[in-house]
Amino acid sequence: MGDGPQGDALIEISVLPHPYFTRKGDDIYLDLPISLKEAVLGAKVKVPTTSGAVTVAVPKWSSTGRVLRLKGRGVPRSDGSKGDQYVTLKLMLPQKTDPKLEAFMAEWQPAADSPRQSMGV
């Protein structure tokens, strides 16, 4: 360029972390908050992807940590295929207290199995 000598141009690129997407290889990871009702009864919910929102079915009785795979919603590869997007469900209780929910839980008699049963406590 101009009258300077010819040579290589060195360019440094910095990529800031995304607020809710994480990339590992060609795959994209996302933690998705879901409500108690969506977790227990199942629901169709919108999930953000790098190419726009898609609707996904949350299965009934989903717990925090359950992972849903969105095939082909990851990063494009050199061969034309794409990685996947993995959605980890995170159960979130309502932000405001709900007296009806509290009353229901006080009366509810859960099944005998404890979520800590496998830990021997």
Side-chain angles (χ1 to χ4, degrees), residues 38-118:
E38 291 167 335
V40 173
L41 301 178
K44 299 219 183 258
V45 298
K46 289 197 177 215
V47 175
T49 72
T50 57
S51 58
V54 297
T55 301
V56 172
V58 173
K60 287 182 177 183
W61 293 101
S62 291
S63 294
T64 289
R66 183 170 194 162
V67 178
L68 307 177
R69 177 178 163 220
L70 306 181
K71 187 175 170 110
R73 292 290 178 167
V75 178
R77 298 178 180 131
S78 59
D79 66 0
S81 66
K82 288 186 172 184
D84 300 324
Q85 180 170 328
Y86 293 92
V87 179
T88 302
L89 302 178
K90 300 289 181 186
L91 179 61
M92 303 295 290
L93 294 176
Q95 291 184 2
K96 294 184 178 182
T97 59
D98 184 338
K100 288 183 181 180
L101 179 58
E102 288 179 11
F104 170 76
M105 293 305 295
E107 297 296 321
W108 181 50
Q109 295 297 318
D113 62 331
S114 163
R116 295 165 300 283
Q117 186 173 9
S118 65

Side-chain angles (χ1 to χ4, degrees), residues 1 4-8:
M1 203 155 126
Q6 293 184 356
D8 295 335

Side-chain angles (χ1 to χ4, degrees), residues 14-43:
S14 296
V15 179
L16 298 174
H18 194 275
Y20 43 86
F21 292 126
T22 303
R23 179 179 175 174
K24 294 179 187 171
D26 296 333
D27 296 326
I28 301 292
Y29 291 81
L30 168 75
D31 288 343
L32 183 72
I34 60 170
S35 69
L36 179 60
K37 184 175 183 177
E38 291 167 335
V40 173
L41 301 178

